[in-house]
Amino acid sequence: MADFLLTAAVLAASAGLGFAVIRRIPPMLHTPLMSMTNAVSGVVVLGALLLFAVRTDRLEQVAGGIALAAAAFNVVGGFAITHRMLSFFRKPSERAGEEHSECRTG
Amino acid sequence: MPHRLIELAIVGVLLLGIVLFRGPRPARLGNLLAAMALLCGVGLILARQSLSPAGLILVTAGLGAAAGWVLALRVTMIRIPAMVALQNGMGGMASFLVASVELTRCAVGASGPGVRGAALLGMVTGAVTLTGSLLAGGRLANMLSQRPVYLPRHNLILAGLATAALLLSGGAMAAGDPTSLRTLAAGVVLAAGGLGVALAMRVGGADMPVLISFLNAGTGLAAAFCGLAIGSWLLVACGAMVGVSGTILTQIMCRAMNRRLTGVLAGSGLTPAGPSEAPESATPSRPSETVPVQAEAAAPGTALPAEVADPYERAVGILRQARSVIIVPGYGMALAGAQEETVQLAEQLAGAGRSVVFAIHPVAGRMPGHMHVLLAEAEVDYGMIREMNDVNPLFAETDAVLVVGACDVVNPAAIQREGTPISGMPILRAHEARAVVVCNLDTRPGYSGVENPLYRQPQTVMLTGDARETLARLRAALA
């Protein structure tokens, strides 16, 4: 019971810290924020993995397998999309620098 | 308990990653840190537990990861909201599956009511967000109609499903043997899934930014409940932060529309009337529309100055003489595929020594911040982007405003009239500028169905038709 309460306390503390940090994020980054936090919500992949730490019956294996695939999709896809999205935000000086180096190597 | 300390350290890294989301460049590092944190979480489990069957684990996780990776590399920014909704739904599915298995294992071991309750909450929130996200994603991908769907006695159905989920959960809390527990659990998931559909079906295409933020918070909550059920601090912390993030974004979206969340979920009764109902193929130009522009450009009731007949000439004149320009992009711009033209026109205007900025309304697009990434994908200089509150005071002193595919966000009826669906909604004050050039598909109202007085102002020039073509013409004339 004590462990449960402690875990609940961690939940509350994380919510508080998260609030303090996230409210400062500029609107320009709201979409990457959403896709990144989306990926983080795939943290349940850890729960799916832990399902297989004990003996599983067939039904549990099916459920766990689907959960693993779905969560992996969520996590990997989310971080990859966010990374790609953020790479779109360039200033002209950065783009010009890239083109310059492309000329050199190309 | 070093294992707990490691979990806290990982949470710390994640938090640092989020803190770095203060600008696009640090955010890239922040994203990588967050990914690393989750990777460490996986490593922690692999180091402490032996998992089997290994083959099943590798194949399922590998397939999911590969699918996510491939889709992520190919999705265009206009499809991002649908993609995010899909991934969100997958997260919800994973959560309710994990919670279900943990719940059914409760009957075997002797775990307290806290664990069972948390598992049930995880199942309910997971299932609700799964079906809700799939429905939202279907709308966002234009696979489903944008129109909200109202069932007879919709609220009664909602209450019924919620009660069913509650009663079945209560039964599951008390159930003694595995079989009845599994049956009850299945019932809970079905009721919750139905609840998700019933909740999301009344939210039309216009309100998607709110719904998708809400569902984002929902999956975070589901993960947190799972964490409570299995006693994982990592799940609990991550889930809580995601839940908070989604909640903050939901609140911002609601405020930007001047609507309450309950109102949005209850359905606004708005049927999309404008181009937003058209599928993405709004791009193909219809030649008959671009020719009679002169006849269409004068919205009913406008008296055009006698000496200026051609709206294009007037628009070009306005832009050529303007020393300050504010560009207002809307979702219509993305539907027309006109982002690149818009960005290039902006650069063209700025290159000639004018001050040019983009004014972004918080709910422009289909998700928070959508317009920003659409423009970034088109290689905008993000230093030109301004948020609504910063740019609104500048409109009165601005020579020219260029509206591209936007309607409600510059609709003065929101602040001049009472009782309309958009009354009280903050808008971009384009109507205060000295001249306005509107490049919209037509003069029909936007999602709200409220007519836009901006169109009829004497200082406004309407250029209807395919925005990509309109802008190309303007660029050629201004070159």
Side-chain angles (χ1 to χ4, degrees):
Chain A
M1 190 55 182
D3 198 55
F4 186 83
L5 286 177
L6 208 50
T7 311
V10 170
L11 201 164
S14 311
L17 278 173
F19 183 75
V21 168
I22 291 168
R23 60 201 296 250
R24 299 213 166 92
I25 296 181
M28 181 159 69
L29 294 177
H30 278 173
T31 297
L33 172 69
M34 191 173 277
S35 67
M36 188 267 289
T37 51
N38 198 348
V40 170
S41 71
V43 72
V44 73
V45 71
L46 303 180
L49 282 173
L50 281 172
L51 289 180
F52 293 98
V54 297
R55 212 173 52 85
T56 46
D57 64 31
R58 183 50 61 94
L59 191 59
E60 286 178 347
Q61 281 183 5
V62 170
I66 297 176
L68 252 184
F73 177 80
N74 193 355
V75 171
V76 172
F79 285 124
I81 276 189
T82 310
H83 183 78
R84 199 174 137 229
M85 233 191 275
L86 288 171
S87 69
F88 286 141
F89 287 90
R90 297 271 162 88
K91 295 230 168 135
S93 49
E94 294 168 347
R95 288 191 217 278
E98 273 174 28
E99 282 164 25
H100 195 61
S101 58
E102 269 171 30
C103 285
R104 286 226 181 127
T105 53
Chain B
M1 288 180 281
H3 150 240
R4 288 303 199 194
L5 284 178
I6 298 179
E7 282 192 297
L8 285 181
I10 294 177
V11 172
V13 173
L14 173 64
L15 201 56
L16 180 60
I18 298 177
V19 165
L20 287 176
F21 267 66
R22 49 184 169 79
R25 299 195 65 196
R28 264 181 270 178
L29 178 60
N31 184 48
L32 287 175
L33 280 179
M36 238 181 53
L38 255 63
L39 202 60
C40 289
V42 172
L44 189 61
I45 290 182
L46 293 178
R48 297 185 74 235
Q49 316 269 1
S50 67
L51 308 173
S52 68
L56 178 67
I57 294 172
L58 284 172
V59 168
T60 49
L63 279 176
W69 180 263
V70 166
L71 272 176
L73 292 183
R74 295 176 46 176
V75 70
T76 52
M77 291 302 110
I78 196 173
R79 290 198 153 267
I80 275 284
M83 180 78 186
V84 168
L86 174 66
Q87 286 177 328
N88 205 41
M90 292 297 108
M93 177 158 79
S95 285
F96 94 72
L97 285 172
V98 169
S100 305
V101 175
E102 289 298 331
L103 177 71
T104 53
R105 286 181 181 173
C106 283
V108 180
S111 26
V115 174
R116 274 205 192 190
L120 283 162
L121 282 168
M123 285 163 62
V124 170
T125 36
V128 167
T129 46
L130 166 65
T131 51
S133 297
L134 288 180
L135 192 54
R139 282 229 172 88
L140 289 165
N142 284 318
M143 297 196 295
L144 297 173
S145 155
Q146 302 299 306
R147 290 177 187 278
V149 176
Y150 302 94
L151 302 170
R153 300 182 197 275
H154 203 119
N155 283 329
L156 200 59
I157 294 178
L158 272 176
L161 286 167
T163 316
L166 200 63
L167 289 175
L168 290 166
S169 299
M173 288 288 285
D177 60 297
T179 341
S180 60
L181 191 54
R182 284 192 177 186
T183 331
L184 286 164
V188 169
V189 166
L190 282 172
L195 191 59
V197 172
L199 266 178
M201 68 187 343
R202 288 191 296 192
V203 183
D207 299 333
M208 277 301 136
V210 175
L211 180 63
I212 205 178
S213 311
F214 180 69
L215 291 168
N216 183 221
T219 31
L221 206 55
F225 285 135
C226 277
L228 268 177
I230 67 177
S232 161
W233 283 9
L234 210 41
L235 249 72
V236 146
C238 290
M241 285 197 255
V242 173
V244 162
S245 176
T247 308
I248 291 176
L249 289 174
T250 308
Q251 204 195 18
I252 293 178
M253 290 299 104
C254 284
R255 245 186 294 139
M257 293 166 64
N258 195 38
R259 312 256 309 282
R260 312 187 68 187
L261 178 61
T262 42
V264 172
L265 291 176
S268 51
L270 302 179
T271 25
S276 26
E277 206 177 289
E280 279 182 58
S281 54
T283 25
S285 66
R286 296 181 286 226
S288 56
E289 276 213 38
T290 47
V291 167
V293 154
Q294 291 169 332
E296 282 184 36
T302 311
L304 274 178
E307 67 276 15
V308 181
D310 181 16
Y312 269 97
E313 281 187 25
R314 206 175 144 209
V316 170
I318 288 172
L319 291 172
R320 194 174 272 143
Q321 290 161 18
R323 286 150 308 171
S324 51
V325 180
I326 297 182
I327 303 181
V328 178
Y331 191 56
M333 173 191 75
L335 284 176
Q339 300 97 297
E340 284 192 22
E341 287 286 345
T342 311
V343 168
Q344 282 161 14
L345 176 59
E347 279 168 17
Q348 203 175 314
L349 291 169
R354 300 175 187 85
S355 117
V356 180
V357 297
F358 284 88
I360 314 286
H361 191 282
V363 287
R366 282 288 161 275
M367 66 189 286
H370 194 195
M371 205 48 56
H372 301 82
V373 299
L374 283 167
L375 291 173
E377 190 187 26
E379 301 194 359
V380 77
D381 169 7
Y382 69 81
M384 291 170 82
I385 295 184
R386 299 284 181 275
E387 305 305 321
M388 179 174 71
N389 290 336
D390 296 330
V391 77
N392 261 344
L394 304 179
F395 278 104
E397 295 299 313
T398 300
D399 292 331
V401 170
L402 181 64
V403 175
V404 186
C407 181
D408 280 338
V409 297
V410 288
N411 190 340
I415 52 177
Q416 292 165 356
R417 283 171 59 187
E418 302 240 345
T420 71
I422 54 172
S423 294
M425 177 178 99
I427 57 164
L428 290 166
R429 299 178 159 262
H431 60 286
E432 293 178 358
R434 299 197 181 106
V436 181
V437 176
V438 178
C439 303
N440 285 349
L441 187 63
D442 52 38
T443 55
R444 281 186 297 169
Y447 268 125
S448 65
V450 180
E451 275 205 58
N452 194 338
L454 178 73
Y455 293 172
R456 289 196 303 273
Q457 286 181 185
Q459 70 265 39
T460 300
V461 180
M462 296 293 297
L463 302 176
T464 53
D466 184 335
R468 240 195 340 200
E469 295 194 3
T470 309
L471 291 169
R473 266 185 79 170
L474 288 175
R475 283 189 60 204
L478 286 165

